[in-house]
Amino acid sequence: MSDIEIPESHPRYQSLLTRHRIEEGVEKGITSRQGLIAQGRGEAFDYLLGERTLPSSDEATRAAAAHLLLADQPVISVNGNVAALCPGEVVDLAAAVDADIEVNLFNRTDERMRAIAAHLRDHGADEVKGLTGDGRIPGIDHERAKVDADGIGSADVVVVPLEDGDRAEALGAMDKVEIVVDLNPMSRSAQVATVPIVDNIMRAVPNIAAHARDLRGSGATREELETIVADFDADAALDAAERAIRAGDE
């Protein structure tokens, strides 16, 4: 048993665990009700992908790990669904690549921001950015434009799982390297990402951390990391994921 009273051998265990965590997030004030709808949409795409990590997605996570290890100031952006689904995994990824964690919300209230920051600290985060909100992303008229000037505002590489398309475009316009986790390869967020990872966030985040630790453990040089980054083809990764959805042929 895990944090739900369902045996891990249950064929729908992961799906039920995900739903439970989102539901619990709403009850705790971490996740918005709209987050329930977003989760349902993502679950539909995951089902079409066969609820597995595609080889192309695994390659993307390795490229993401290389970008993060090369970064001067990497930041992982966390919204309500991310905080509910994989708080410990986000903290572990931040530790693996020396990244900051910053909360960023569309439905931003001081109460939700503080609740998510506390939730992340409960899962091991030392520092959580985002509450200052003294910077802005140009070209966005809603609350997701608010960032910490010394966080996402000045980051060179940003991990933006489950991102809104307009913010993904705006971050790209700021010349930031953008790593997007999204189960829909046709979404605007995935289409504009430097590295689109078409996978379930609960598989993708720990996979990035594992690749980062493998690369560090193997003593990968800066030149080798730059080669991994240069060899990654975002369009090919998106095409492979779309083929898998339409024909199941990857």
Side-chain angles (χ1 to χ4, degrees), residues 73 75 100 102 127 129-130 132 134-135 147-155:
Q73 189 186 341
V75 176
D100 287 328
E102 180 166 334
E127 182 185 5
K129 293 183 180 295
T132 305
D134 56 348
V147 295
D148 279 12
D150 65 348
I152 290 174
S154 53

Side-chain angles (χ1 to χ4, degrees), residues 24 28 30 83-85 87 114-125:
E24 190 175 51
K28 289 181 176 178
I30 293 171
L85 290 172
R114 286 195 298 269
I116 292 172
H119 185 64
L120 291 167
R121 284 194 289 270
D122 287 344
H123 285 81

